Amino acid sequence: MTNNENYQRIWKTVLQIPSGKVASYGQVADLAGLPGRARLVGRALGYAPPALAVPWYRVLRSDRSIAFAAGSDHATTQRQLLLSEGVMVKNNRVAKQYCWQPDLAELLFSLEF
DNA sequence: TAATTGACCCTTT
DNA sequence: CAAAGGGCCAATT
């Protein structure tokens, strides 16, 4: 992995997602300062060290569906984790109301101004 | 070195 | 909403 710095930023951004809310890969990429690099977010989550406790399950596709194949072990685990936070999952997809809308103040704080 | 492969996204049909 | 076509980029083959 040659871009460890990008991974760090992605992990930090995902850690900003509050419990009970979800964000898309593209959204995380944008907030992390990596526009158009949603795929990198998915890769970063796969490489995420367990020690950081990154809430990877709060990251969904842009259509708010779970990124893994429906019925797969990963998808089932993710659905379970989301349900435990009160996020209802219907047909491998969640409702709009759970989308995280980051606060400007929150963003400025994470950017360490 | 070149081709393939993804935990993806956007626009158009 | 689903499907197709084009982009993106690091890691793997």
Side-chain angles (χ1 to χ4, degrees):
Chain A
M1 50 185 97
T2 57
N3 289 327
N4 210 305
E5 312 225 351
N6 288 348
Y7 291 140
Q8 290 285 346
R9 275 156 62 184
I10 290 170
W11 295 330
K12 262 191 194 176
T13 303
V14 175
L15 282 167
Q16 304 294 317
I17 306 174
S19 175
K21 292 288 183 179
V22 301
S24 75
Y25 291 90
Q27 185 180 0
V28 170
D30 287 346
L31 295 179
L34 303 166
R37 268 160 256 190
R39 306 193 77 121
L40 193 60
V41 174
R43 197 185 317 281
L45 291 180
Y47 279 109
L52 291 183
V54 176
W56 56 271
Y57 53 86
R58 292 181 192 148
V59 184
L60 309 176
R61 285 182 177 162
S62 61
D63 64 355
R64 304 185 299 284
S65 66
I66 290 178
F68 298 105
S72 66
D73 290 347
H74 281 308
T76 302
T77 300
Q78 183 167 12
R79 181 175 59 83
Q80 208 64 21
L81 287 167
L82 288 172
L83 288 175
S84 73
E85 294 189 342
V87 178
M88 304 308 290
V89 182
K90 286 286 187 187
N91 220 359
N92 229 57
R93 191 175 300 174
V94 311
K96 270 184 293 191
Q97 60 177 129
Y98 299 112
C99 288
W100 177 44
Q101 290 152 49
D103 217 301
L104 182 56
E106 197 171 351
L107 284 179
L108 293 176
F109 179 77
S110 71
L111 290 175
E112 297 175 354
F113 267 17

